[in-house]
C-alpha cells in the first residue's frame, strides 16, 4: 500500500521492477504465544541464486520457509516472492513456488504417476501436458523404473525424490527445500545433490536448508546463518570465511614439551581456546598476520621444537559453528 | 455432433464436476479395505435388524402363524428408518471428523495447501467425497427397504422425504465433522468433539425440550390462567432434534403435539423447521472451515 500526494491509499500489490529479487524479506517477525521464532529478519535473494539456509534446530529456518510457502502468517514485517506479498497475494506466490517441507507425508495408495498427476492437476495442468511431463520428471529424479509402483513401497530416499518431482510439476521459479536430505543415507544424499545441481543449471532459484550444506558448498551461491530467530550472517561463503579469518584455527605440531608449550601459549596475547592432542596443539587465534608471525618466532626462541605450524582450512561447517557459537553473531 | 466432440464435451463436464481433490478422495477412499468393511457391517446391521424385526413380528407376535401382517409394514419402515438414523449418527462423524486433521497428521495437508486448489474446493471436495460414501451406504440399504414395499402401506412421497432427510442430516453432521477437523489439529480431539456435538443434537436437544416442557407444566399446575397453547414456543426446541423431525415426517400430528396445538395449523412442520435451522448451521460450519483451513491473513486486502 502506498500513499498518493493527495493522501489517498492506493493498492500497489506487485513490485514489477524487472530486476526485482526472487525473495525479499523485511523485518519478518513471527511469534508463537510468548515465543519469538523470528525477530525481524531482513533477507534478499536474487533470481537464479542458490541460497543455503543454515542454523541450529529451532533457529527459525522452517518458520521462515513456511511463511514463504504461505503456510504461516507473519506477526510483523513483509515477505515477497517475485514481487508478490505472501499475505496479500498468496495464490500468485503459490504459482511460483515448489515447497518441500522437512517432514511430509505421501498418499500411500497412489502409484507414483498418479501421485504426480494429482498434484499436476491441482496446479491446473491439463492431462495431455501431464502425460508428457510426468515421465520427464520421473527421469529427472531417477524414478522412471518406479512409475507403476505404489508410493508406500518406495524407500525414504525415493519418496524424497518423488516429493522433489512434485515440487517441480508446475515448473516453479523458486524451490523452497526444507532439509531435503534429512534422514537419507550417504548414497541417497549424493543422488539428491546431483539432482539439485541439475536444477541449479536449469536456472531455478533455490532456498535450501540442510545438514549436508558443507557437501553442497560448491553449488550454494550464498548462505544465510540464522540463530535464535535472527539472521547473524549472510553473503557468499568466501566473504563470510574471510570475515571470520580473525578467528582462525592454528595447529602447531611440536616435538615434546606439549604441556609447557600449552602454558606458554596461554600467556600470549590473542589466544582463544586451546586443545592439545598427542602431537600438537589446536589454537583459536584472534590476532592478525603480523602477530601470528611473532607467535611462531617467540615459540622457537623459547626453545620449543616446532615441527609444523599450519592454519586449519575452515569449511562451511566450521563457519557455521564459528558464527553460532554461544549465540554471538558475526554480522 | 461428432463422437469426438461429444467425448470432449463429457470430459469438460467431468473436469468441471470432478476436481483433482475430489478425484483423489474418491480413488483413495475406495482403495482402502476400511470402505468395504464399513459397507459390509452397515448392511449387516441394518439387514440383521430388519430380519430380526420380521422374525419378532411374525413368530412371536403372531404366535407362530409365520405370516407377516401387511399392516405391520409401516411399523417396519419406521423401525428401519430409526435404525438408519442411528447408523448415520454413528457413521457421519466418523467419516468426516478426520478428513482435514487426518491429512495434517499424515503431513500431506501442507503440500495440498500450497497447490492452486482453493480452500473452498478442498473443503467442499472433502465433504462431497465423504457424503458420497455415506450416500452409497444409504443407497445400499434400498433392497432392505424394498421388503417394506412388498407389503405396501408407505407412500413414495414419505419414502422420498425420509431419504432426503437422511441426506440432509449427513450434510449437517458432515459439515460439523469437517469444521472440527479443521479447527482441531488432532483427529482424536476432532472425533470426540464431533461425536459429542452429535450426541447433544440427538439427545441434548430432546432432553432440553422435555425438561422445559415439564418445568412449565409444574410451574403452572393449578393455575387458572394456564393454557398449554401459550407455551407453544417450546416446540421450537424440539425442532432442533432430528428424531422429532423424523417422527414429524412419519406422522404429521407430531408437529401439532409438540407445539401444544389442539386445533389449527402449525406454522411449520417440525422437519421443515429442522431443515431451516440446520441449513444455517451447516453453512456456517462450511464457511468457517473454508476460512480456517489456510492461515488467516488479518491484513489481507485480497483474499485468495
Amino acid at each position: 500500500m502506498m500513499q498518493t500526494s493527495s493522501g489517498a491509499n492506493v493498492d500497489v500489490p506487485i513490485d514489477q521492477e524487472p530486476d526485482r529479487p526472487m525473495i525479499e524479506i523485511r523485518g519478518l517477525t513471527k511469534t508463537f504465544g510468548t515465543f519469538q521464532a523470528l525477530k525481524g529478519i531482513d533477507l534478499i535473494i536474487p533470481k537464479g541464486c542458490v541460497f543455503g539456509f543454515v542454523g541450529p534446530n529451532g533457529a527459525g529456518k522452517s518458520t521462515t520457509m513456511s511463511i514463504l510457502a504461505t503456510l504461516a502468517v507473519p506477526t510483523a514485517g513483509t515477505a515477497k516472492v517475485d514481487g508478490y506479498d505472501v499475505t496479500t497475494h498468496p495464490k500468485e506466490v503459490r504459482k511460483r513456488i515448489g515447497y518441500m517441507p522437512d517432514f511430509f507425508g505421501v498418499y500411500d495408495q497412489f502409484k507414483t504417476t498418479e501421485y504426480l498427476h494429482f498434484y499436476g492437476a491441482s496446479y491446473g495442468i491439463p492431462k495431455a501436458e501431464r502425460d508428457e511431463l510426468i515421465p520427464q520428471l520421473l527421469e529427472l529424479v531417477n524414478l522412471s523404473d518406479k512409475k507403476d509402483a505404489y508410493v508406500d513401497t518406495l524407500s525414504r530416499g525415493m519418496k524424497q525424490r518423488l516429493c522433489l518431482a512434485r515440487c517441480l510439476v508446475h515448473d516453479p521459479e523458486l524451490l523452497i527445500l526444507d532439509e531435503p536430505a534429512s534422514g537419507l543415507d550417504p548414497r541417497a544424499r549424493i543422488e539428491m545433490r546431483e539432482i539439485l545441481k541439475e536444477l541449479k543449471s536449469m536456472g531455478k532459484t533455490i532456498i535450501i536448508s540442510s545438514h549436508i550444506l558443507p557437501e553442497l558448498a560448491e553449488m550454494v551461491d550464498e548462505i544465510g546463518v540464522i540463530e535464535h530467530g535472527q539472521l547473524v550472517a549472510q553473503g557468499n561463503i568466501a566473504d563470510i570465511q574471510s570475515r571470520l579469518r580473525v578467528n582462525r584455527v592454528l595447529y602447531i605440531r611440536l616435538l615434546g614439551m606439549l604441556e609447557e608449550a600449552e602454558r606458554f601459549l596461554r600467556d600470549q596475547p590473542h589466544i582463544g581456546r586451546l586443545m592439545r592432542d598427542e602431537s600438537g596443539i589446536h589454537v583459536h587465534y584472534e590476532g592478525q598476520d603480523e602477530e601470528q608471525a611473532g607467535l611462531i618466532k617467540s615459540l622457537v626462541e623459547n626453545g620449543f621444537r616446532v615441527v609444523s605450524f599450519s592454519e586449519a582450512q575452515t569449511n562451511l561447517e566450521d563457519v557455521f559453528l564459528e558464527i553460532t557459537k554461544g549465540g554471538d553473531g558475526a554480522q | 455432433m461428432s463422437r469426438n466432440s461429444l467425448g470432449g464435451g463429457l470430459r469438460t463436464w467431468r473436469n468441471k464436476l470432478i476436481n483433482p481433490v475430489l478425484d483423489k478422495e474418491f480413488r483413495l477412499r475406495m482403495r482402502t479395505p476400511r470402505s468395504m468393511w464399513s459397507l459390509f457391517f452397515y448392511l449387516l446391521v441394518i439387514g440383521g435388524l430388519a430380519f430380526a424385526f420380521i422374525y419378532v413380528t411374525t413368530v412371536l407376535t403372531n404366535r407362530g402363524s409365520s405370516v407377516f401382517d401387511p399392516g405391520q409394514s409401516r411399523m417396519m419402515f419406521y423401525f428401519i428408518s430409526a435404525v438408519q438414523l442411528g447408523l448415520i449418527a454413528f457413521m457421519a462423524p466418523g467419516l468426516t471428523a478426520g478428513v482435514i486433521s487426518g491429512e495434517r497428521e499424515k503431513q500431506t495437508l501442507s503440500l495440498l495447501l500450497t497447490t492452486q486448489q482453493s480452500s473452498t474446493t478442498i473443503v467442499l471436495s472433502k465433504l462431497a467425497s465423504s457424503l458420497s460414501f455415506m450416500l452409497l451406504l444409504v443407497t445400499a440399504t434400498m433392497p432392505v427397504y424394498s421388503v417394506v414395499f412388498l407389503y405396501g402401506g408407505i407412500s413414495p412421497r414419505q419414502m422420498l422425504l425420509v431419504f432426503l432427510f437422511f441426506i440432509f442430516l449427513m450434510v449437517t453432521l458432515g459439515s460439523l465433522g469437517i469444521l472440527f477437523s479443521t479447527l482441531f489439529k488432532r483427529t482424536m480431539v476432532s472425533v470426540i468433539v464431533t461425536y459429542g456435538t452429535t450426541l447433544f443434537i440427538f439427545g441434548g436437544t430432546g432432553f432440553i425440550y422435555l425438561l422445559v416442557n415439564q418445568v412449565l407444566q409444574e410451574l403452572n399446575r393449578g393455575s387458572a390462567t394456564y393454557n398449554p397453547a401459550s407455551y407453544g414456543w417450546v416446540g421450537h426446541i424440539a425442532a432442533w432434534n432430528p428424531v422429532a423431525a423424523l417422527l414429524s415426517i412419519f406422522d404429521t400430528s407430531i408437529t401439532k403435539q409438540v407445539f401444544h396445538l389442539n386445533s389449527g395449523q402449525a406454522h411449520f412442520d417440525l422437519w421443515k423447521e429442522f431443515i431451516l435451522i440446520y441449513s444455517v448451521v451447516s453453512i456456517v460450519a462450511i464457511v468457517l472451515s473454508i476460512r480456517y483451513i489456510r492461515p488467516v491473513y488479518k491484513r489481507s486486502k485480497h483474499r485468495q
Side-chain angles (χ1 to χ4, degrees):
Chain A
M1 185 84 80
M2 66 177 278
Q3 277 204 326
T4 61
S5 53
S6 62
N9 285 329
V10 177
D11 227 3
V12 184
I14 310 156
D15 171 10
Q16 282 298 7
E17 289 169 27
D19 58 344
R20 62 188 180 278
M22 181 51 80
I23 292 175
E24 188 181 351
I25 292 173
R26 300 219 182 263
L28 195 67
T29 304
K30 177 71 185 173
T31 308
F32 297 102
T34 54
F35 175 68
Q36 216 176 358
L38 298 176
K39 300 171 183 167
I41 283 182
D42 291 306
L43 177 66
I44 288 179
I45 300 174
K47 286 185 177 172
C49 174
V50 179
F51 186 86
F53 213 17
V54 203
N57 291 337
K61 304 186 297 288
S62 296
T63 307
T64 310
M65 289 177 153
S66 299
I67 290 172
L68 287 171
T70 73
L71 291 170
V73 189
T75 309
T78 57
K80 286 181 183 176
V81 171
D82 198 23
Y84 290 94
D85 192 309
V86 294
T87 60
T88 55
H89 289 75
K91 202 164 182 177
E92 288 301 327
V93 171
R94 282 179 213 129
K95 266 185 208 168
R96 286 161 174 78
I97 61 164
Y99 173 58
M100 183 169 169
D102 47 353
F103 298 104
F104 64 89
V106 285
Y107 301 112
D108 287 339
Q109 285 89 24
F110 264 154
K111 292 178 179 177
T112 51
T113 42
E114 287 176 325
Y115 180 80
L116 293 175
H117 266 289
F118 163 60
Y119 281 103
S122 296
Y123 281 105
I125 302 167
K127 186 169 184 305
E129 259 181 63
R130 296 198 307 264
D131 286 339
E132 208 173 309
L133 174 73
I134 286 168
Q136 293 170 15
L137 284 173
L138 287 173
E139 197 179 327
L140 177 74
V141 297
N142 302 322
L143 285 175
S144 296
D145 55 330
K146 296 284 179 186
K147 65 181 162 72
D148 292 322
Y150 279 96
V151 173
D152 66 346
T153 64
L154 301 182
S155 69
R156 183 178 169 120
M158 289 174 182
K159 283 180 184 170
Q160 296 275 78
R161 281 184 276 147
L162 181 65
C163 191
L164 190 58
R166 179 200 61 80
C167 288
L168 295 165
V169 78
H170 57 302
D171 194 22
E173 294 164 69
L174 171 66
L175 292 174
I176 301 171
L177 311 176
D178 195 359
E179 307 274 4
S182 66
L184 298 186
D185 60 42
R187 186 185 177 81
R189 283 181 174 212
I190 291 166
E191 282 174 344
M192 180 63 81
R193 190 177 64 192
E194 292 308 312
I195 296 166
L196 292 175
K197 276 186 188 168
E198 178 78 21
L199 293 173
K200 183 189 179 183
S201 71
M202 289 160 70
K204 303 278 183 203
T205 309
I206 305 174
I207 174 166
I208 176 172
S209 70
S210 173
H211 294 310
I212 57 162
L213 209 60
E215 290 177 38
L216 296 174
E218 75 265 31
M219 63 163 287
V220 175
D221 300 315
E222 275 193 35
I223 63 165
V225 183
I226 186 169
E227 198 185 23
H228 300 309
Q230 285 175 309
L231 204 60
V232 293
Q234 190 202 337
N236 69 47
I237 296 165
D239 279 352
I240 290 180
Q241 277 174 330
S242 73
R243 263 190 279 159
L244 289 170
R245 278 184 64 79
V246 288
N247 287 328
R248 68 192 81 181
V249 179
L250 309 173
Y251 183 66
I252 305 166
R253 206 171 140 225
L254 296 153
L255 280 179
M257 297 172 72
L258 287 171
E259 272 186 48
E260 292 85 345
E262 191 179 351
R263 275 199 298 276
F264 173 79
L265 286 168
R266 215 177 284 285
D267 294 335
Q268 301 304 306
H270 310 300
I271 300 287
R273 279 183 293 149
L274 292 174
M275 263 182 353
R276 180 157 53 89
D277 63 20
E278 290 160 0
S279 54
I281 302 168
H282 292 270
V283 181
H284 282 254
Y285 192 66
E286 294 169 5
Q288 297 299 315
D289 286 353
E290 279 291 320
E291 290 135 355
Q292 189 173 318
L295 181 69
I296 303 170
K297 193 177 166 213
S298 61
L299 272 170
V300 174
E301 282 174 355
N302 280 281
F304 294 105
R305 298 166 73 197
V306 178
V307 180
S308 69
F309 191 102
S310 57
E311 203 171 290
Q313 281 290 313
T314 49
N315 62 22
L316 204 53
E317 215 151 40
D318 297 324
V319 170
F320 169 58
L321 290 172
E322 189 65 30
I323 295 171
T324 57
K325 68 176 180 191
D328 295 332
Q331 193 71 287
Chain B
M1 191 185 282
S2 75
R3 196 180 174 84
N4 273 350
S5 64
L6 181 69
L10 285 176
R11 265 196 302 278
T12 311
W13 273 105
R14 182 190 175 279
N15 290 343
K16 276 183 184 166
L17 290 172
I18 301 182
N19 63 60
V21 183
L22 195 58
D23 186 50
K24 180 211 86 168
E25 291 291 319
F26 281 155
R27 280 172 197 263
L28 295 186
R29 187 179 291 278
M30 297 316 284
R31 282 182 188 181
T32 56
R34 204 175 67 170
S35 298
M36 188 269 285
W37 288 116
S38 301
L39 188 58
F40 175 76
F41 283 111
Y42 195 92
L43 291 177
L44 192 71
V45 169
I46 210 157
L49 286 172
F51 285 109
F53 182 86
I54 293 175
Y55 175 78
V56 168
T57 48
T58 54
V59 178
L60 300 182
T61 314
N62 297 339
R63 298 173 195 277
S65 70
S66 302
V67 177
F68 186 69
D69 176 11
Q72 288 170 331
S73 69
R74 179 188 289 267
M75 281 308 292
M76 185 178 165
F77 173 73
Y78 293 168
F79 176 75
I80 297 174
S81 299
V83 172
Q84 185 100 285
L85 186 73
L87 284 173
I88 288 170
F90 180 71
M91 293 293 285
L95 283 169
T96 53
V99 289
I100 305 288
S101 54
E103 286 236 17
R104 198 182 283 121
E105 283 173 346
K106 280 191 289 177
Q107 296 174 322
T108 49
L109 187 65
S110 58
L111 304 182
L112 186 58
L113 294 181
T114 52
T115 66
Q116 291 291 293
Q117 295 301 304
S118 67
S119 303
T120 311
T121 305
I122 294 171
V123 168
L124 291 183
S125 302
K126 293 261 178 197
L127 180 63
S129 140
S130 305
L131 290 178
S132 303
F133 185 68
M134 281 189 272
L135 206 60
L136 174 69
L137 294 180
V138 173
T139 313
T141 63
M142 282 293 196
V144 181
Y145 273 91
S146 69
V147 174
V148 176
F149 282 113
L150 282 177
Y151 301 104
I154 297 297
S155 72
R157 180 182 175 273
Q158 208 169 22
M159 177 88 175
L160 188 70
L161 260 182
V162 168
F163 265 87
L164 289 177
F165 178 79
F166 286 152
I167 292 169
F168 178 77
L169 188 65
M170 288 189 278
V171 173
T172 301
L173 297 179
S175 308
L176 289 170
I178 286 193
L179 172 65
F180 295 132
S181 179
T182 307
L183 296 182
F184 296 106
K185 286 197 163 53
R186 293 177 62 89
T187 300
M188 188 58 80
V189 180
S190 166
V191 167
I192 290 169
V193 175
T194 311
Y195 273 114
T197 310
T198 307
L199 188 67
F200 176 77
I201 291 172
F202 275 77
T205 52
F207 176 74
I208 293 171
Y209 167 74
L210 293 173
L211 186 75
V212 173
N213 224 357
Q214 195 65 34
V215 168
L216 286 173
Q217 278 184 16
E218 288 297 323
L219 287 177
N220 293 288
R221 193 185 292 275
S223 163
T225 56
Y226 176 56
N227 173 18
S230 63
Y231 297 103
W233 58 267
V234 181
H236 293 296
I237 300 175
W240 288 77
N241 188 281
V243 179
L246 184 65
L247 287 175
S248 76
I249 296 175
F250 292 160
D251 183 354
T252 45
S253 69
I254 297 282
T255 306
K256 281 185 185 177
Q257 285 174 36
V258 298
F259 282 97
H260 301 287
L261 290 173
N262 299 321
S263 59
Q265 283 272 269
H267 293 300
F268 266 128
D269 283 330
L270 216 50
W271 64 269
K272 285 180 186 164
E273 194 170 336
F274 176 88
I275 284 176
L276 202 70
I277 292 166
Y278 284 101
S279 293
V280 176
V281 171
S282 304
I283 289 168
V284 170
I286 290 169
V287 168
L288 288 176
S289 305
I290 291 168
R291 180 163 169 79
Y292 288 107
I293 192 171
R294 280 196 165 101
V296 179
Y297 297 110
K298 286 175 185 156
R299 294 168 300 159
S300 171
K301 298 286 185 289
H302 306 264
R303 299 262 334 126
Q304 291 188 45

